[in-house]
Every structure is written in C-alpha cells, then in structure tokens.
Amino acid sequence: MAFPLQGDDAARRTPPSEISNPYWVAFSKSCAELINIPVANNDLPTDHKWLELLAGNSLETEFHQFSNPLATAYSGHQFGVWAGQLGDGRAILLGDIASQELQLKGAGKTAYSRMGDGRAVLRSSIREFLCSEAMHALGIPTSRALAVVGSKMSVMRETRETAAVCARVAPSFIRIGHFEHYSSLENTGRLKELADDLIEKHYPECHNSIEPYLELFKSMSNKNATLVAKWQAVGFCHGVLNSDNISVLGLTIDYGPFGFLDQFQIDHICNHSDHSGRYAFHRQPQIMHWNMACLASAMLPLVELNHSSVEAQELLKSALESFPIIFAEEWQKGFRDKLGLQTAEEMDIRLIERLLQLMHDSGVDYTSLFRSLGDIDKDAAVVNISLRDHFIDRGTIDLWLQDYLARLSRESVDDETRQALMNTVNPKYVLRNHLAQRAIELAQQDDFSEVHKLLKILSNPFGEQPEHHQYSQAPADHVRAIPVSCSS
C-alpha cells in the first residue's frame, strides 16, 4: 500500500462517497501517460470506467482495482500556530499506480473532516488542475493533476456551488505534518517507520549514511529550499504555507489561494484571508525555512536515537543553517539565468535587486518584463529599448539598462544564443488569475472549452504560440484584483 503506516492511529479506511451523474470537466493526457493510462483520440481514457473511478463512484477499472482507500492523520502549524491533529479532511488516497500515488480531492467526508463536508467545488478544482499541470510544464516540482470530474450536486461555500473531484498524482503525499503528528504524540516508533519508508522509497542515498535520519532531514530541507527559489524566480505565490501543506519530497502541493504575480509587488499577498501578510511573496523563503525548523523539531527524537539530546539539537541546528545557503545559490542561479548571464560576477546580485526594486516601484508586469529582456541586443541604444516605457522613473531604468548592457558585453555567447536560452527560463504564459476566472465562469455554464484551451497553452509556457498571444498579456485593470481565499 502507498501509505507506509498501518493502523487506525495512522490512517482510516475511507471509501469515496458517490456524486450524482458525473461528467468530464478536464483530463490531462500528459499525466495519464505518466501512470500508463491508455488514452483515446478524444484525449480521454479508452476505458470508460475511469470516469466513475475518478468521480469516487467506483474503485476499479478494467485493469486496476483500489481495494483499500485511505485518509491519513497528520498535524501541523497553521498561520504559525500549532493546530493539533488535522488530517486528510477531503482527500482520499486510492493507492499506487505506476510508482505514483493516486488521490481524490473532494470525494467526501473522512474521519478527519471535522466540521467540513469533504467536498470540493468546481471553481477550486479547475484552479488546482490547471496550476498543477502548468507548474509541471514550467519545470517546477509539483503534484500532478489527472482530471476534474464534475457533478450538479450542490455544495455550500460562500454561496451555493456545484461539486467536483480533482484527481491528484504524486510519488508521495506525505507532508511535514505527518512527522509533526507523531512527534507531538511522542511516538518515536511511528516516526521511525515513516522515516525508514521515505529513505527506502525516495531517499536511498541516505540509507548507507552513518546518520541516516540527519541526512534525510538535510535532503528534505534542501529540496524545499530549491523549490521556493524556483517559486520566487517564476513569480509564484502559494498563499498558505502552513507546515501541513509542505511536501517531504519538495513538491508544490495543496493549491488553494495561489497566484502568479501580475503587477510586481515584492510584498504581494495572494490570499485575502492572510490578514497579517504572513505568506506574502517576499516572505515565502523565510516561511519555508521556518517550516523546516518545525520538521527539525519533529525529527529530533530520531536523531536522539544515536546522540544525546543536546548533541542532536546541535546537529539539526547546523543542518538547518544550510537552508538559506541552498536557497541563495538557487535564487541567484535562477535570476542570472533569467537575465541571460551564463557566468557569475559579484555585481550580479545588486543588478538583480535593483531591477526588482524598479519593477516594484512601477508595478511592472512580472512575467512580461522578464520575457521581454530576451529581446534586447548587446549593442542596443538604451533609448531604443521599448521596455523602458513601462517604468515611471525613466532616468533610473535607463541607468539600470546601461549597466545591464555593459554586463551582457562581458558574456561570450552571441545575442541569438543568449536570447534562446532566456526564452527557456522566462515563460511567456503563466496561469494568471483572470484567465483561470474566465475558464471557471464558462465551466459554470457547462462550457469547458476554455479549460481545455488553457491546459494546451500552459503545457507549452516557453513557446511563442503567436495564435494565443493575448493569453500572455497583463490583465486589464478591472480584472486585476480577483480575490482568492482558502476556499478557492
């Protein structure tokens, strides 16, 4: 079974609850290929039983049977406060398929639903589906989305909406909250089971270490440091970086009130429920580091198996100090790549920081600006560079452009090669909120064409796709501030 821990204290058998008259909203052929599901010419599974299975109405297809669906227990910190036991409140793990785990989100109540109904709505399911697949195409580690199945069954949120189930795929859905759960219960046996399984299946390089649990922590911390650096580079805001939403594999999971930056604000808050700005864009690295500290605390009993308490704390503290180092290295590399710099100079960091400050001051569109940098030639005259028109302080951006051109002149690659490389790291297309909202509004009228269209466009984010150029444009003022919250 996919989840390594057996017993009611770890997970409860939870068959999905049926939805009425299910229908396809969206299906990812790319994700289907990952888990070896045959797909017909209409980009849907050849086996029609997949619709009923992904709706939660069945547990088998022609070649697959999931006999032990589970919801798992975990705990965690939410908005910096210990929340105690949480668990899979609306996610049900069906089981393994082609070395991946298949999970249904919104398939009904579980033992951990608390006051919730265990359901997801069409709106949030479409957002998660599209962003999961978009992030994968951007090269950012993420859970995948196989499908969205809809129903006219009513679900109450802020208003009455219709139900949907999002099928998610990942090598593992274990999160920091699983470690925190057993640590809070002082159950070192369960902690050891969890860690040993992760080492066996996902971190085999830790197996022969004289400090396997310390090395496991380092590996998980480093993966998440790299992940958040990639978020910052592409302008992605997660929105709810609670410790129970952080993957032990360094994957982006639990898409809720996320958002890609439009007008650049370094302190942008994408979740309107985040009143203190805890999870603002510029704080994401700091918060991820804080979450790694939570993981270190949870794993302390494992390191104490071979060390005194004081020694174990010092070892984990030292390991935790590598997070900002790894993050800085990845962040600097990511932004050098975005600026087309193949070599490293000390002045590069200041050059990057100056650009970001200028973008913040002028509210420049994040994705479009970096994409347009690839159009600049080394020998261009500053006054002929069109992107300067997006900045309020023309004199200051001109000074930056002079320094940037001087920096490019010290690179050995020609303009054509550099520009091609830049266009492989600076996407033209991201899932902007107004695009997702338009697809949702049409889907709520039973028109799923825009969902399908966005999936196709976002599967090739670095391509020019001139026929879809309007999808790369910054949003108009009247659709820029679309609110998203934890129910999104």
Side-chain angles (χ1 to χ4, degrees), residues 475-486:
D477 289 344
H478 70 282
V479 292
R480 181 171 289 137
I482 296 173
V484 288
S485 68
C486 294

Side-chain angles (χ1 to χ4, degrees), residues 309-428:
S309 179
V310 172
E311 289 173 337
Q313 289 180 50
E314 286 301 315
L315 286 169
L316 283 165
K317 180 181 177 182
S318 177
L320 188 61
E321 290 171 353
S322 70
F323 181 98
I325 297 171
I326 297 295
F327 169 77
E329 290 174 350
E330 294 294 331
W331 186 91
Q332 291 171 21
K333 180 184 183 304
F335 276 92
R336 279 195 175 98
D337 289 345
K338 291 176 77 67
L339 266 62
L341 307 178
Q342 276 73 54
T343 60
E345 293 185 5
E346 187 175 345
M347 68 163 287
D348 294 344
I349 307 309
R350 179 60 184 151
L351 192 69
I352 295 165
E353 290 174 342
R354 284 171 58 201
L355 176 60
L356 292 175
Q357 184 64 57
L358 288 169
M359 291 169 64
H360 171 86
D361 292 343
S362 294
V364 176
D365 186 76
Y366 188 88
T367 301
S368 299
L369 185 282
F370 278 106
R371 183 72 174 192
S372 67
L373 285 177
D375 297 331
I376 297 176
D377 295 332
K378 288 181 183 179
D379 58 354
V382 168
V383 294
N384 294 329
I385 297 175
S386 60
L387 68 80
R388 64 198 286 269
D389 295 335
H390 297 287
F391 292 84
I392 297 170
D393 187 339
R394 189 71 62 84
T396 309
I397 189 59
D398 285 355
L399 288 174
W400 184 88
L401 285 168
Q402 289 174 14
D403 291 340
Y404 180 51
L405 292 172
R407 178 66 182 86
L408 289 180
S409 70
R410 296 194 291 277
E411 291 287 313
S412 60
V413 298
D414 60 78
D415 280 333
E416 185 178 357
T417 301
R418 173 181 55 80
Q419 289 164 352
L421 289 171
M422 290 175 72
N423 284 348
T424 66
V425 296
N426 290 320
K428 181 176 179 179

